[in-house]
Each structure stands twice: as C-alpha cells, then as structure tokens.
C-alpha cells in the first residue's frame, strides 16, 4: 500500500518526540481540494479511529482511513531536507495529474 522511506520515518519520529501529548501514530489521508482536485494530508494522531488501516514501519504506526486506502495504493512518502526545500514528498504512480508543489493530484 504505502511506502515510507527511512528519511520520512526518521522525520516523523523527530516530530513525535517534540509533541506535547501522547501520539498514537501518523495519519495520512486524501481529501478533496488543491489545484488538481485531491490533496494529501498528514498529522500526528492521538487516537486510532474505527475502520483505520494500521501500517507498521519499524514500530511507527501509520493510520489510513478506509476512503483514502485505494487512493494511496503504491504511494511512496519521502522527506527531503536540502537547499531547494524541506518537507514531505509524495510519489503517486496512480496520479494522472499533479500540481507543481506535489501536494495535490488527480487520478
């Protein structure tokens, strides 16, 4: 389903360590919006919701709601930190169109 690179896993763990509250995992979802029709969302989640798919990446839980599962099939999430920008990058082999920032897409 989803692949997280080692760099992405390390970045999420750093963010979890600095969180004010207990974090259950990282939620990755797809919702309507963005310039291409759908956009990726990520947030540190305190609770697991009923119906969530739970993926394990070396002890890091990634939570995905049922509606987002088919839209994230085959997606790779990476984290880059360099001169040209810092942040999470999504590579979606199912996207037929995406915007320049890489945060929205359509299938």
């Amino acid at each position: 389903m989803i692949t997280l690179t080692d760099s992405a896993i390390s970045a999420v763990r750093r963010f979890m360590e600095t969180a004010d509250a207990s974090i259950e995992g990282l939620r990755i979802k797809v919702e309507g919006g963005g310039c291409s029709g759908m956009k990726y969302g990520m947030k540190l989640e305190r609770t697991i919701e009923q119906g969530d798919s739970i993926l394990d990446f070396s002890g890091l839980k990634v939570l995905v709601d049922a509606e987002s599962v088919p839209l994230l099939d085959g997606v790779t999430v990476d984290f880059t930190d360099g001169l040209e920008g810092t942040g999470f990058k999504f590579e979606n082999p199912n996207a037929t169109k995406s915007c320049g920032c890489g945060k929205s897409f359509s299938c």
Side-chain angles (χ1 to χ4, degrees), residues 1 24-27 47-57 59-65 69:
M1 174 200 287
E24 195 63 45
L26 172 69
R27 179 168 303 282
T47 58
I48 297 173
E49 300 294 329
Q50 185 174 353
D52 280 346
S53 292
I54 304 169
L55 308 171
D56 184 272
F57 294 92
L60 171 67
K61 291 179 191 172
V62 172
L63 313 172
V64 182
D65 63 86
V69 167

Side-chain angles (χ1 to χ4, degrees), residues 5-59:
T5 65
D6 290 340
S7 179
I9 293 168
S10 294
V12 172
R13 285 194 172 129
R14 284 193 309 272
F15 294 128
M16 289 176 74
E17 289 171 2
T18 62
D20 293 337
S22 175
I23 301 298
E24 195 63 45
L26 172 69
R27 179 168 303 282
I28 300 177
K29 66 180 184 173
V30 174
E31 53 195 357
C35 52
S36 294
M38 292 182 273
K39 64 181 180 179
Y40 302 106
M42 297 175 68
K43 73 175 189 171
L44 297 179
E45 191 71 71
R46 294 182 186 179
T47 58
I48 297 173
E49 300 294 329
Q50 185 174 353
D52 280 346
S53 292
I54 304 169
L55 308 171
D56 184 272
F57 294 92
S58 302

